Amino acid sequence: MVQEKRGVVPYLTHVALAGVLNLPRLLPYRWRLPVVGWFASRVVGPIAGYDKRIRRNLALACPDLPEQDVTKLVRDVLTNTGRFLAEMWSGNAFYKHLEGTKMSGPGVAALQAAKDAGRPIIAISGHFGNYDAARAVLIQAGYNTGALYRPMSNAYFNESYKARMEGFEGKAFEQSRRGMASMVKHLRQGGLLAILLDQREDQGARLSFFGRPAMTTLAVAEMALKYDTLFVPVFAVRDPNGVDFQILVDNPIEHSDAETMMQDFNDRFEARVREHMDQWLWIHNRWQLPEDTKA
C-alpha cells in the first residue's frame, strides 16, 4: 500500500504539475509535449527533488558513468517524464495519435494466439517510454485490456492521475482489495492484464537488477501460474522524434517458478533500459532495501 503524502511540498508540486499539464492543452498536440518536457526538466523536477533521486539511482546502478553523461541523463529522464504526463493529460488526442501503430517483435504471434484461444494474458512492463502507449495500442488491436495501477504517493496529484487512468479506454484497477478482486475476475474471463513490475516491493524476493539486489514482487508471476496465463513482456519505446512509439512484444516468459520468471523479466527489462537509459523512470527508489529504512 502506498503511503499518501500531504503537506506543503506535495501540494506545491501538485499545483505546479497541474499548471504544467493543463495549460499546454491549449497548444497543438505536437507542440505541447516538448513544452511540458522542458518545464518538467527545468522547473518541476528540480523543485520536487527528482533530479537528486535520479542521480542517486544512477550512482547505484552505473557508478562508472561519467559526470557529463549523468547530467544529461537527469535532464533527459525528466523530459521524458514530462512528455509522458502531457500525453496522459491529452486523453483522446493521445489515443488518436496512436491509431495505426503496429506491434512488432518475436512475441506478437503468441499474443495473438492467446487472444484467439480466449486464454488470459498478463502483459508485463515497467515505467519506460510511455507504458500507456502500449495499453492504447493493445486496446485498438481488439484486446480486452485492463491495467492494474498503484496510486501515486502525492495524495493531491493522485486524484487527477486516478481520474485519467479510469477515464482511459479499456479498464483500470487500482491496487486495493476491491481493485484486485475486479482484476482477478477480468483475468478469469480471458482478459488481458497490463501491469508494471519495476517498482520496489518490500514483501517480494531479493532478485537482481543492474547487478544489485532489488526487492521484486512474485505475486504476479504466481498469478500467471495459477491462472495459466500467457506471461509476456511488452514495451513502448519512444521514437527519436519524441511523439511516436514502437510497441515491442518479447517472447513470452516460460512458466517455471515465480522467482525464475521474475528474474527473467528483470534481466529483459534491464537490457531494454540499457538500450534507452533516458526512457526509464529513474525517480523510483528501486534499490532501497527494507534494512535501508531502519535507523
Side-chain angles (χ1 to χ4, degrees):
M1 181 66 67
V2 174
Q3 182 178 2
E4 290 191 345
K5 295 180 181 178
R6 298 181 182 273
V8 175
V9 173
Y11 179 73
L12 291 177
T13 301
H14 161 65
V15 170
L17 281 170
V20 169
L21 295 170
N22 287 316
L23 287 177
R25 293 173 66 184
L26 300 173
L27 298 172
Y29 180 79
R30 283 182 176 267
W31 292 9
R32 77 185 66 156
L33 303 189
V35 167
V36 177
W38 183 92
F39 207 77
S41 65
R42 268 74 168 183
V43 181
V44 177
I47 288 176
Y50 295 151
D51 54 342
K52 295 181 177 62
R53 291 195 200 173
I54 295 169
R55 284 183 171 275
R56 172 188 178 275
N57 282 329
L58 286 171
L60 287 170
C62 308
D64 298 326
L65 203 63
E67 173 57 28
Q68 62 185 22
D69 292 349
V70 171
T71 299
K72 184 177 186 303
L73 270 175
V74 169
R75 182 155 290 179
D76 290 348
V77 168
L78 290 172
T79 297
N80 184 71
T81 304
R83 283 177 176 266
F84 156 68
L85 290 171
E87 287 158 344
M88 192 169 189
W89 257 249
S90 293
N92 287 335
F94 175 52
Y95 189 76
K96 288 182 178 298
H97 176 77
L98 292 165
E99 289 179 350
T101 303
K102 304 297 183 183
M103 292 182 283
S104 61
V108 171
L111 193 66
Q112 182 64 47
K115 175 176 176 286
D116 293 344
R119 182 185 180 190
I121 301 166
I122 298 181
I124 51 179
S125 194
H127 293 80
F128 176 83
N130 184 340
Y131 51 86
D132 251 1
R135 181 162 65 121
V137 171
L138 284 165
I139 291 169
Q140 291 170 357
Y143 289 84
N144 180 17
T145 304
L148 180 69
Y149 70 96
R150 178 182 296 192
M152 290 193 168
S153 59
N154 185 318
Y156 307 103
F157 187 64
N158 184 62
E159 290 305 311
S160 297
Y161 179 71
K162 177 181 178 181
R164 281 152 182 81
M165 284 294 295
E166 294 179 344
F168 198 71
E169 297 274 351
K171 305 177 182 70
F173 311 114
E174 184 177 279
Q175 190 171 322
S176 62
R177 181 173 296 180
R178 178 178 296 181
M180 296 293 282
S182 298
M183 178 201 70
V184 169
K185 181 180 179 181
H186 171 77
L187 208 55
R188 283 176 167 169
Q189 292 174 343
L192 182 150
L193 174 66
I195 187 167
L196 309 179
L197 300 178
D198 60 330
Q199 290 182 275
R200 189 183 81 249
E201 178 53 67
D202 292 345
Q203 304 304 314
R206 185 178 298 196
L207 304 182
S208 176
F209 187 58
F210 274 83
R212 294 185 58 85
M215 299 301 290
T216 303
T217 182
L218 300 182
V220 180
E222 290 167 349
M223 190 184 308
L225 293 171
K226 180 176 181 179
Y227 297 111
D228 188 30
T229 79
L230 189 73
F231 198 56
V232 58
V234 180
F235 302 106
V237 181
R238 189 181 297 278
D239 279 352
N241 66 14
V243 295
D244 297 320
F245 292 89
Q246 300 176 57
I247 309 302
L248 305 179
V249 184
D250 275 0
N251 280 317
I253 291 176
E254 293 185 7
H255 286 202
S256 53
D257 62 85
E259 287 201 17
T260 299
M261 293 165 69
M262 286 309 304
Q263 185 59 64
D264 191 352
F265 171 75
N266 279 2
D267 293 342
R268 297 196 202 187
F269 187 56
E270 177 184 331
R272 193 68 64 185
V273 172
R274 287 186 182 276
E275 290 176 354
H276 304 278
M277 291 280 283
D278 59 316
Q279 296 198 32
W280 186 45
L281 192 65
W282 288 87
I283 295 169
H284 290 149
N285 291 321
R286 183 65 182 94
W287 291 277
Q288 185 179 9
L289 302 175
E291 58 264 34
D292 295 334
T293 64
K294 298 176 182 178

